[in-house]
Amino acid sequence: MLFGNHKAPAAPQADWLPEDAGAGQPLFSLFNKLAMLRKDDPSFAVQVLGPHPGCGVSTISGGLAEFTALNVDAPVALIDADPLKMSQFQRVGMDVGASLQDVQQGKASLDAAMHRMHRSNLSLMALTPPVVDRKGYSGRTLSISALSEIVALLRRRFQWIIVDSGPARDVAFSLVLSRFMSGTVVVAESEKTRVPVIHELVHQVYANGGTSLGIVINKRKIHISDFLYRFL
């Protein structure tokens, strides 16, 4: 994983997460590297973003949020920013209710949009209402100013913000959102996401005013040769 603030995309280096991305050790490593990058930032907002569906963005962001809440004595927010799937809400069996977009438009309070998780310092929120008609979805539901206001509101309330972003190719505001984050963790699927696609996504993050914190290669399978397998 290429971690550290850098001004231009560099050749990607990576940390590997196994097929079970919820495993403790990989998340511990990812959390530690992010914590070191946080430094004195009073509110650290991390976007987790993949180029296409199936990369494991929701698994990593959900696991990271829970691991962070377990290891810090501070309020943590997990933001479901994929209106096409709402994987975080599906995972816990909750209805979305009010979204942060509703809060920004004055239709609901922030407390109304917050769903307390099993850890008292972890709250789940939806960035926008879920998309009902996928065919009519244009990919743009939030303006730049609205995104800016929502992130500023979250930063005043939470010390850690983990954003589960929809795939860059399907949810247009995912890339715009990167400019308001402390940084973006790019997720690629082992043996499926091509290197040029990763390079292009990192480039798009910078082009939209964001910063790439690192690249995670998810779902890596350990291949054992027939020769070695005989000794197992």
Side-chain angles (χ1 to χ4, degrees):
M1 187 179 299
L2 180 62
F3 270 91
N5 296 324
H6 40 91
K7 296 182 179 180
Q13 300 172 5
D15 263 358
W16 300 88
L17 290 186
E19 198 141 13
D20 177 14
Q25 186 58 40
L27 286 176
F28 177 75
S29 175
L30 179 58
F31 168 76
N32 274 347
K33 290 175 180 177
L34 290 172
M36 287 188 292
L37 287 177
R38 182 187 175 188
K39 297 180 181 179
D40 297 325
D41 192 343
S43 179
F44 196 54
V46 178
Q47 178 187 40
V48 185
L49 176 66
H52 55 76
C55 291
V57 167
S58 294
T59 302
I60 292 173
S61 53
L64 177 61
E66 291 190 10
F67 194 90
T68 302
L70 176 65
N71 286 275
V72 302
D73 185 20
V76 179
L78 172 59
I79 311 302
D80 195 325
D82 185 355
L84 296 174
K85 293 186 67 176
M86 292 293 181
S87 297
Q88 302 299 339
F89 282 88
Q90 290 183 25
R91 182 171 64 91
V92 297
M94 291 182 178
D95 293 328
V96 172
S99 70
L100 290 169
Q101 184 177 21
D102 295 324
V103 176
Q104 186 269 332
Q105 293 175 348
K107 298 177 181 178
S109 67
L110 180 59
D111 286 334
M114 292 168 55
H115 300 264
R116 298 290 184 183
M117 305 291 281
H118 61 282
R119 301 196 184 282
S120 60
N121 62 332
L122 176 59
S123 298
L124 171 63
M125 288 164 276
L127 182 61
T128 68
V131 171
V132 178
D133 180 14
R134 295 177 65 97
K135 292 183 180 180
Y137 178 62
S138 65
R140 294 185 179 276
T141 58
L142 283 170
S143 66
I144 294 176
S145 60
L147 286 170
S148 175
E149 290 176 22
I150 289 171
V151 175
L153 178 67
L154 291 171
R155 284 184 181 275
R156 289 194 293 269
R157 186 76 171 261
F158 297 93
Q159 291 187 25
W160 282 81
I161 303 165
I162 311 297
V163 180
D164 172 8
S165 283
R169 78 177 191 189
D170 298 332
V171 182
F173 66 74
S174 290
L175 286 168
V176 179
L177 182 60
S178 67
R179 77 176 61 178
F180 303 110
M181 298 286 100
S182 302
T184 298
V185 174
V186 173
V187 180
E189 185 176 4
S190 178
E191 300 182 15
K192 288 192 177 181
T193 308
R194 299 175 60 201
V195 171
V197 174
I198 301 173
H199 275 292
E200 178 60 23
L201 181 54
V202 172
H203 174 76
Q204 289 178 342
V205 167
Y206 279 96
N208 279 273
T211 299
S212 172
L213 295 177
I215 301 168
V216 171
I217 309 299
N218 193 26
K219 301 182 182 179
R220 185 191 182 198
K221 296 179 180 179
I222 307 299
H223 297 283
I224 303 174
S225 69
D226 292 338
F227 175 77
L228 292 176
Y229 195 78
R230 293 182 299 169
F231 298 96
L232 299 179

